[in-house]
Amino acid sequence: MTLMDPFGFGRAAFDYWRDSIERSVLYLDVMRERGNQYLEHMEQTKPSVLGFETEELLDGRTLPRPVNYELLRVLPPEGVEIDLQKRPFVVVDPRAGHGPGIGGFKPDSELGVALRAGHPCYFIGFLPFPEPGQTVEDVVEAEIAFVRHVIERHPETSEKPMVVGNCQAGWQVMMAAALEPDVFGPILIAGAPLSYWAGERGKAPMRYTGGITGGSWITALTSDMGNGLFDGAWLVQNFERLNPANTYWKKQYHLYDNVDTEAGRYLEFERWWGGHVVLGGEEIQYIVDNLFVGNRLSTAQLVTRDGRRIDLRNVRSPVVVFCSRGDDITPPPQALGWIRDLYEGEEDIIANEQTIIYCLHDTTGHLGIFVSGSVSRKEHTEFTANMDYIDVMPPGLYETTISRAEDQEESELVERDYLLEFSPRNFDELDNEVQHKPEDDRRFATVARLSEINLGFYRLYLQPWIQATITPESARWMRRMHPIRLGYKLLSDRNPLSVPLPVMADAIRENRHPVDDDNLFKAMETIASDQIVSNLDAFRDLRDSLIERVFLDTFGQPLLQAAVGLYGDAHVHRRRPGAEPEHRRFIENRQAELREKIAEGSHHEAVMRSMIYVLGGAPATDERNFKRLRASRAELEPSTRLCDFKHLVREQFFILKLDREKALNTLPILLKDRSNEEIDEHLRHLEHVLAASGELSPHAAERLDQIKALFDQARPEAVKVKAEAPSAAGKTEQGKTSAVTSANSAETAKTAAKPAGDDNNSAAPVTPKAVPKDDGKAVGNDEDNAAPDTPVKTEPKATTKSAQRKRPNRKR
């Protein structure tokens, strides 16, 4: 069709007119179905969008402190087999205005991935209305009780459940694990904000909301207008305002433009997005005061009503933080800033025996972190498959990267399409994501002080009047009239004007006349739509930049900061919590305990200690090392449980960090009862495992040579004496291999082991240097991150009494 063809132009105009009318009717009919679906969903006693069959195990309303939460067992779909020997998997859903079920409302989800992997799965959901007097602490205690119940249901496995907390459920899970660290296995927090003051300028506009509204008094007002209940639709409205182009145009136009194919997907998502729930006024006030505005969780300032401090440093389970740069609700600084708030550096994390792993997605939005099918098939599949490996990783800070398995060596050891690799990180690298600005902290601290003042004035002057005038019926009426809720009801079968819509829509579907994309008017429609999106995005950017500028200028005023008592005090805001006296004593006792164990153990301890030492010089590691090591250990010790394996890894890691010189020098002692053939087998085992992730770096290869020399010192004396004779001749092959082992004779205690190379990974030998003795610092206060590269100075075998005692081989 061309403009010079009037008949073609007219046909194009008529075809587009007819198609637009048909699409409009079909669109309105989908919106009618959405309204009906909303009303039906909200009338259910226990509405949920969970896409799996479940059975109720525990009702939170029956607990000593009743809550509107419940524990469900997820029944496997047909054809899926569950292995009860595997670690249980628990998903905790976010309660942030929407209904439950988002963590498993389709097959490609967190629950779907875990079920296909054969794990017993459980889901912690909630009901639409809270119990009277319910608090956040009650919810946290209920989640602890639920996880304990899951553990009791699986006596056949010694592994603690892996717990997944999405969005707001993430900080609840972390609070629970800080109070009861022995209950939780590996923890995955997806899109969970724990450090609310953090954020990059020009992004994360939600963090300014508390300052612009004058603090949390507006939350108290909203709860009082609801007769003590806070309507979750207000939270949903805040989310929608972040992206007006998507909320008011793009999402709806995408349905209109593809109404023939998009109706099912649209209705499926709207079933959850429109399932608004209600929170207790005391609950939401606690959340806003202590987290959104006060930021007290990430600085260990929260104390329970029975006097227990909620310190995230108490968490002993590995923590996986999954966030995205495309998330404007929980950007990476808010997901990772708590690490910077609590710890001085990566050595401080090691001293607290914590393993923290973070994974950054580049593009997905907030909901995509835990509902996107592509994310579930990739990231969540890898997290689930590697949970045992994550559970045995030594303490420290790591970042994960995901690559295609087919591009890797030893790809047969990777059972899936992708490989999850773990790389050690330091705080300088972490700061690139957190982008901490101390001057902004003072501004947010000023907001927190003003929020307390404004809330006090509200409670003194306004709250009594509002509470006296609001009745339960008026509160229900205001909830029904909320703009978001009203939008669903107006386009439903309860509106008499919608009666002809289904009849018209059915007639159109039977005789549909869609137009092609090359239609002139259809192309103009697409251009107009893009222009509307661009204009709304420009409005959003202008609005967000204006809000940020007003916030920074207002709360950065020295006069205002001085008026609330903050100006001039560099430490009053975001004070990093110090170590408690009992924690310092714990560190000291732990050090003393480990020193006594340095020369205790058997060949298991020797092999693991050597493995950690060599891998300490590697830039990254992945599941291939773990699979080979665990498989070979299962062959040597069939009764070895994963919890024993994890204990062995962590204990040997700390022994190396505490006294590296003595830890390496005692390797021959741990191997003294092994035969020459067994020592050779241990060395082959080490090389086999280390080769799983590719060729060793020169630095790691030098460390392996050093370990081989120490293992040679443990060979029986008969072998050494036999090896010395040809060594004197200087030419035989056996003499070449005994040049190192003969150095451990009774006449000398000096080692001939080749020292590890210097920091530039030079392969040339260097002159051995003395290793600094332990100075009594906390575990992990060492310049090297995992296994230092300083050469080893060996000592005689009978240096200590513990070395002289005969120790039986222990099963791990």
Side-chain angles (χ1 to χ4, degrees):
M1 187 272 295
T2 66
L3 294 178
M4 300 302 293
D5 180 7
F7 295 103
F9 184 84
R11 281 195 301 270
F14 175 78
D15 290 343
Y16 173 75
W17 172 80
R18 181 175 58 186
D19 173 67
S20 63
I21 294 295
E22 291 176 352
R23 282 188 290 154
S24 298
V25 173
L26 294 176
Y27 171 81
L28 289 174
D29 189 58
V30 173
M31 301 304 287
R32 178 190 63 84
E33 292 183 39
R34 184 189 74 150
N36 293 339
Q37 176 181 270
Y38 168 81
L39 295 173
E40 179 184 354
H41 186 73
M42 296 304 296
E43 289 171 357
Q44 295 177 3
T45 305
K46 296 182 179 181
S48 176
V49 297
L50 198 62
F52 299 91
E53 295 293 327
T54 61
E55 66 170 329
E56 182 181 302
L57 298 179
L58 277 181
D59 188 338
R61 294 173 295 182
T62 64
L63 296 175
R65 299 280 302 183
V67 295
N68 65 330
Y69 280 71
E70 56 185 358
L71 174 66
L72 307 174
R73 184 175 78 90
V74 181
L75 304 178
E78 185 178 354
V80 174
E81 296 292 332
I82 298 300
D83 184 357
L84 295 179
Q85 299 295 325
K86 287 190 173 183
R87 183 195 302 270
F89 193 94
V90 181
V91 173
V92 186
D93 235 23
R95 184 162 160 254
H98 302 96
I102 193 63
F105 84 114
K106 54 186 179 181
D108 284 328
S109 61
E110 295 162 335
L111 282 175
V113 166
L115 285 169
R116 288 195 296 270
H119 293 275
C121 290
Y122 300 85
F123 185 81
I124 298 178
F126 48 86
L127 304 178
F129 288 87
E131 290 296 294
Q134 175 178 314
T135 67
V136 171
E137 290 183 23
D138 295 336
V139 172
V140 170
E141 292 293 344
E143 290 175 355
I144 294 173
F146 291 158
V147 177
R148 288 188 187 278
H149 185 77
V150 171
I151 294 174
E152 292 172 359
R153 287 180 56 87
H154 293 273
E156 65 278 356
T157 176
S158 60
E159 307 308 323
K160 299 297 194 306
M162 179 176 181
V163 182
V164 179
N166 295 317
C167 190
Q168 300 293 334
W171 54 257
Q172 290 181 359
V173 169
M174 291 293 285
M175 290 173 65
L179 292 173
E180 298 290 342
D182 295 333
V183 175
F184 292 79
I187 297 172
L188 169 61
I189 50 177
L194 274 77
S195 184
Y196 288 85
W197 290 1
E200 181 183 354
R201 290 190 184 179
K203 299 180 181 179
M206 281 193 71
R207 65 181 183 143
Y208 303 122
T209 304
I212 297 301
T213 58
S216 67
W217 73 272
I218 195 73
T219 305
L221 171 63
T222 307
S223 299
D224 291 335
M225 296 291 287
N227 195 39
L229 298 176
F230 184 93
D231 188 0
W234 293 109
L235 297 176
V236 177
Q237 189 177 69
N238 287 339
F239 299 152
E240 292 186 339
R241 285 174 177 170
L242 286 174
N243 193 347
N246 183 70
T247 299
Y248 302 120
W249 182 259
K250 192 160 59 175
K251 181 173 69 172
Q252 306 303 332
Y253 175 74
H254 182 72
L255 172 63
Y256 171 76
D257 188 33
N258 303 276
V259 70
D260 299 304
T261 57
E262 281 294 304
R265 186 203 61 81
Y266 179 86
L267 290 173
E268 180 185 31
F269 178 77
E270 284 294 312
R271 183 165 166 258
W272 173 77
W273 187 255
H276 308 121
V277 297
V278 176
L279 291 83
E282 188 175 352
E283 284 182 286
I284 191 64
Q285 196 67 41
Y286 179 98
I287 294 170
V288 174
D289 284 339
N290 293 300
L291 282 80
F292 294 172
V293 176
N295 198 48
R296 296 188 177 102
L297 177 61
S298 69
T299 50
Q301 298 180 58
L302 290 181
V303 179
T304 63
R305 56 176 170 259
D306 56 355
R308 293 178 294 167
R309 182 172 298 279
I310 302 177
D311 189 343
L312 299 184
R313 293 173 299 178
N314 292 336
V315 178
R316 290 291 167 261
S317 306
V319 179
V320 180
V321 182
F322 183 32
C323 53
S324 172
R325 296 184 179 92
D327 184 355
D328 56 356
I329 295 178
T330 307
Q334 292 190 6
L336 300 172
W338 64 278
I339 306 173
R340 199 69 179 83
D341 292 345
L342 286 174
Y343 299 102
E344 298 285 349
E346 59 273 14
E347 295 294 338
D348 199 13
I349 297 176
I350 295 173
N352 279 274
E353 300 189 21
Q354 282 197 310
T355 303
I356 302 175
I357 302 163
Y358 64 92
C359 179
L360 289 169
H361 197 281
D362 288 328
T363 58
T364 190
H366 182 69
L367 293 179
I369 291 176
F370 40 89
V371 303
S372 170
S374 61
V375 171
S376 293
R377 287 189 295 270
K378 186 177 179 182
E379 279 82 2
H380 284 293
T381 297
E382 291 304 309
F383 295 145
T384 302
N386 284 274
M387 69 171 70
D388 285 344
Y389 182 34
I390 291 171
D391 204 16
V392 302
M393 287 188 66
L397 180 66
Y398 304 88
E399 182 181 4
T400 65
T401 54
I402 299 178
S403 57
R404 294 197 64 85
E406 62 186 21
D407 300 330
Q408 305 293 326
E409 299 180 8
E410 302 283 351
S411 58
E412 68 275 4
L413 292 175
V414 184
E415 300 173 356
R416 300 163 311 282
D417 295 333
Y418 297 94
L419 177 69
L420 197 65
E421 189 174 58
F422 301 85
S423 302
R425 291 290 181 256
N426 56 45
F427 267 39
D428 291 336
E429 295 166 311
L430 180 67
D431 284 340
N432 292 333
E433 300 296 338
V434 175
Q435 301 189 25
H436 175 234
K437 288 182 171 58
E439 62 272 18
D440 284 355
D441 288 346
R442 189 186 300 277
R443 291 182 171 95
F444 284 103
T446 302
V447 171
R449 289 282 180 88
L450 285 173
S451 176
E452 295 173 355
I453 295 171
N454 292 339
L455 181 61
F457 280 128
Y458 168 77
R459 285 174 171 167
L460 178 62
Y461 293 111
L462 290 179
Q463 190 176 59
W465 292 96
I466 293 176
Q467 289 181 344
T469 56
I470 295 297
T471 64
E473 185 55 40
S474 65
R476 283 194 293 270
W477 181 84
M478 281 187 283
R479 280 199 296 274
R480 295 192 190 106
M481 297 303 293
H482 190 283
I484 291 182
R485 293 178 181 269
L486 196 61
Y488 288 95
K489 295 178 182 178
L490 290 178
L491 278 171
S492 69
D493 285 342
R494 297 186 184 181
N495 185 345
L497 297 178
S498 67
V499 172
L501 277 176
V503 178
M504 296 170 60
D506 289 341
I508 289 174
R509 291 188 186 100
E510 292 177 0
N511 191 26
R512 180 79 170 91
H513 303 90
V515 297
D516 297 329
D517 291 337
D518 59 356
N519 182 286
L520 172 63
F521 297 95
K522 184 68 166 60
M524 292 173 63
E525 175 191 296
T526 303
I527 295 172
S529 174
D530 293 341
Q531 187 61 47
I532 292 173
V533 171
S534 298
N535 291 339
L536 288 172
D537 284 342
F539 163 75
R540 177 202 61 198
D541 295 341
L542 178 62
R543 178 201 64 187
D544 292 347
S545 62
L546 180 61
I547 289 175
E548 182 177 71
R549 190 72 266 159
V550 170
F551 179 92
L552 296 177
D553 291 345
T554 301
F555 297 103
Q557 290 292 326
L559 181 61
L560 180 59
Q561 294 174 355
V564 296
L566 289 177
Y567 188 76
D569 189 344
H571 304 289
V572 72
H573 54 282
R574 200 191 279 253
R575 180 183 289 113
R576 181 174 285 110
E580 301 285 348
E582 56 268 24
H583 182 70
R584 295 183 184 275
R585 287 193 293 271
F586 167 78
I587 294 284
E588 294 171 359
N589 294 336
R590 179 68 170 151
Q591 284 182 310
E593 177 186 344
L594 289 174
R595 284 194 183 95
E596 294 178 357
K597 293 184 176 182
I598 290 179
E600 295 182 0
S602 64
H603 61 282
H604 293 312
E605 283 76 7
V607 172
M608 182 55 65
R609 193 178 300 177
S610 303
M611 183 73 61
I612 295 172
Y613 178 66
V614 176
L615 287 178
T621 182
D622 55 58
E623 62 181 287
R624 292 171 293 182
N625 300 98
F626 170 71
K627 284 189 174 180
R628 276 190 170 173
L629 182 61
R630 192 179 179 195
S632 57
R633 280 189 54 80
E635 294 173 1
L636 297 174
E637 288 285 348
S639 61
T640 299
R641 300 178 302 172
L642 181 61
C643 59
D644 298 325
F645 182 49
K646 174 183 176 180
H647 177 76
L648 176 66
V649 172
R650 287 178 170 261
E651 186 174 83
Q652 296 308 310
F653 174 84
F654 279 113
I655 285 176
L656 272 169
K657 294 295 294 184
L658 183 63
D659 193 337
R660 180 174 62 252
E661 177 187 0
K662 189 174 181 181
L664 293 177
N665 291 337
T666 53
L667 287 177
I669 300 176
L670 301 179
L671 296 165
K672 68 177 184 179
D673 295 329
R674 310 302 290 175
S675 67
N676 192 45
E677 291 76 13
E678 289 171 328
I679 291 176
D680 288 337
E681 179 61 29
H682 294 326
L683 289 175
R684 284 193 295 269
H685 168 56
L686 276 172
E687 293 175 336
H688 181 65
V689 173
L690 292 170
S693 54
E695 185 178 355
L696 291 177
S697 66
H699 192 47
E702 290 179 28
R703 292 187 174 202
L704 180 58
D705 289 340
Q706 186 178 356
I707 292 298
K708 289 179 179 179
L710 291 167
F711 273 50
D712 284 341
Q713 293 181 24
R715 296 181 185 276
E717 290 296 331
V719 175
K720 295 180 184 180
V721 172
K722 182 178 179 181
E724 286 175 0
S727 177
K731 296 295 182 181
T732 65
E733 185 65 23
Q734 188 175 7
K736 294 179 183 179
T737 59
S738 63
V740 175
T741 59
S742 60
N744 197 43
S745 60
E747 290 81 9
T748 178
K750 301 294 184 180
T751 180
K754 180 181 179 180
D758 55 16
D759 289 337
N760 62 8
N761 290 343
S762 172
V766 295
T767 305
K769 300 180 291 185
V771 179
K773 298 293 184 182
D774 175 60
D775 56 2
K777 293 182 181 179
V779 175
N781 287 339
D782 199 343
E783 290 183 357
D784 212 347
N785 203 20
D789 55 3
T790 311
V792 176
K793 177 182 177 182
T794 57
E795 300 174 357
K797 290 185 178 180
T799 302
T800 62
K801 292 182 179 179
S802 61
Q804 296 173 352
R805 294 196 299 268
K806 182 175 181 180
R807 290 166 296 280
N809 291 345
R810 296 180 297 167
K811 287 187 178 181
R812 284 284 185 187

